[in-house]
Amino acid sequence: MKVAVIGATGAVGREMTSILEERRFPVDAFVPLASVRSAGRSVRFAGAEHEVRELTVEALAGVEVAFVSAGATTSLAFLPDIVAAHGTVCIDNSSAFRMDPACPLSIPEVNPEALDGWPKPGIIAVPNCTTITAMLPVGPLHRAAGLRRLVLSSYQAVSGAGQTGTRELAEQIEKLHGQVESLAHPDHDALPRGAVFAKPIAFNVVAKIGEFEDDGFTGEESKMMAEPKKILAAPDLEVLATSVRVPVVTGHAVSILAEFSRPIDVAEARTVLSAAPGVTVMDDPASGVFPSPLEAAGRDDALVGRIRQVPGRPEALALFSCADNLRKGAALDAIQVAERLFPSGVPR
């Protein structure tokens, strides 16, 4: 197959390229594309260097599948024309088409039925990385007990803001080297600040991801509240989200409060999750076994633990999920979608 990666020089684009090779996706011709600023650079795939070309509609001629990680503005500007001109299947990591009724929003382990009838020319959306982290455990529990309400509190790595976010954290840690004890009584005017985050991120947490909207929620929180309803085909599901940036490089974590239509206890939840694809249960706190973002980094599964019954509420559970935001939260999900559509490199 002729395969393109749009945004090939970015963090997720590089991860996509690596996973395509790692999982031996059937690629006969590899087309890395990016903005004009990155054109002329090279990326390595299948033992060879490939020159990055500028993204244009014409550059996708003959491409059967395009993996896209270039931001919502770019996706809106290019993908409909690419589909119309070339009949390409575009698997998009941005927020541009997630809530479009014509575009599937798929986590293959959770709602593979969203891909029924594909492949065909069009756009398939990959959910928000935090939504994926939450839905991998919530999805199978929903199928078992019928989800009614969901409260999500996220702790999101700086790499979710791209390479500039990771650099900003590193630079601020370096500037504060040797001054950690002074942070008990900080000189706020002297604290390092950057262009990516609203407040200092080193040794801090920032309760703002995306812009604040008229209702007081941020753009990230709005995604986390809307996307589960589409993924689970549960339009009446009540979802409340708070998203927070934390000084972690890779790996998003989500604290989940889930209320179901019937009683479900911790033992049943562990049984359900132990059999769920894309989930590794780490739930033995007495032995020090519980998930953390650093343990999730580089792994394909969401790590799930801290499973607790909400006191006095047999129908409600609390749990904690961690996943690699660049891998399973973005690049891997996109490639798993393509693997389902093209299991042998040709349409099913």
Side-chain angles (χ1 to χ4, degrees):
M1 300 177 66
K2 190 174 185 179
V3 174
V5 173
I6 298 174
T9 58
V12 174
R14 294 199 311 270
E15 190 76 9
M16 286 175 169
T17 301
S18 175
I19 295 172
L20 284 169
E21 186 170 4
E22 170 191 320
R23 294 172 72 94
R24 299 183 183 276
F25 190 80
V27 179
D28 298 317
F30 178 68
V31 182
L33 302 168
S35 68
V36 66
R37 296 188 308 274
S38 297
R41 295 168 60 181
S42 66
V43 296
R44 191 166 183 81
F45 177 76
E49 296 294 328
H50 298 260
E51 183 178 351
V52 177
R53 294 160 55 196
E54 180 184 354
L55 171 61
T56 63
V57 173
E58 293 72 24
L60 275 293
V63 169
E64 291 151 286
V65 181
F67 298 96
V68 187
S69 183
T73 300
T74 298
S75 290
L76 286 166
F78 283 93
L79 298 194
D81 290 341
I82 289 168
V83 172
H86 307 301
T88 305
V89 176
C90 296
I91 305 175
D92 182 33
N93 264 285
S94 83
S95 62
F97 300 98
R98 288 177 185 156
M99 302 312 296
D100 185 330
C103 297
L105 182 66
S106 180
I107 306 170
E109 300 97 326
V110 176
N111 64 329
E113 66 279 358
L115 302 174
D116 289 348
W118 288 73
K120 58 187 178 182
I123 301 165
I124 299 171
V126 172
N128 175 274
C129 46
T130 316
T131 301
I132 291 174
T133 303
M135 289 299 99
L136 282 167
V138 166
L141 293 172
H142 169 61
R143 287 194 296 272
L147 188 66
R148 294 178 58 194
R149 295 183 182 88
L150 194 60
V151 178
L152 305 173
S153 299
S154 71
Y155 311 86
Q156 299 183 217
V158 294
S159 57
Q163 298 174 69
T164 55
T166 301
R167 285 197 296 268
E168 188 164 302
L169 172 62
E171 290 167 0
Q172 291 182 8
I173 290 173
E174 180 64 25
K175 288 177 181 177
L176 291 169
H177 180 69
Q179 303 177 49
V180 174
E181 291 184 1
S182 71
L183 296 178
H185 302 280
D187 178 353
H188 293 280
D189 292 334
L191 290 174
R193 294 180 181 273
V196 179
F197 305 114
K199 298 176 183 289
I201 188 63
F203 308 104
N204 199 19
V205 300
V206 179
K208 177 182 179 292
I209 303 178
E211 296 304 314
F212 288 115
E213 300 177 345
D214 291 342
D215 58 6
F217 290 92
T218 65
E220 183 78 358
E221 290 161 350
S222 293
K223 297 171 193 175
M224 292 166 60
M225 292 189 289
E227 293 174 21
K229 300 179 184 183
K230 183 174 180 179
I231 293 166
L232 300 178
D236 296 327
L237 179 66
E238 296 179 22
V239 188
L240 179 68
T242 301
S243 62
V244 179
R245 190 74 72 187
V246 297
V248 170
V249 173
T250 301
H252 287 356
V254 186
S255 173
I256 301 165
L257 174 62
E259 180 182 320
F260 299 92
S261 298
R262 66 163 177 84
I264 178 171
D265 61 20
V266 171
E268 181 182 357
R270 286 180 181 145
T271 298
V272 168
L273 293 173
S274 294
V279 172
T280 295
V281 176
M282 294 181 63
D283 193 40
D284 186 5
S287 301
V289 177
F290 56 91
S292 69
L294 197 56
E295 291 167 296
R299 298 180 63 161
D300 291 350
D301 286 1
L303 309 183
V304 181
R306 298 295 317 282
I307 305 170
R308 291 150 284 156
Q309 198 82 54
V310 176
R313 297 179 63 191
E315 78 291 352
L317 293 170
L319 54 151
F320 193 70
S321 179
C322 300
D324 185 323
N325 54 296
L326 300 180
R327 190 173 176 88
K328 179 52 192 171
L332 177 60
D333 193 83
I335 290 162
Q336 287 173 318
V337 167
E339 288 173 340
R340 183 171 177 84
L341 300 184
F342 303 101
S344 301
V346 295
R348 288 190 296 179

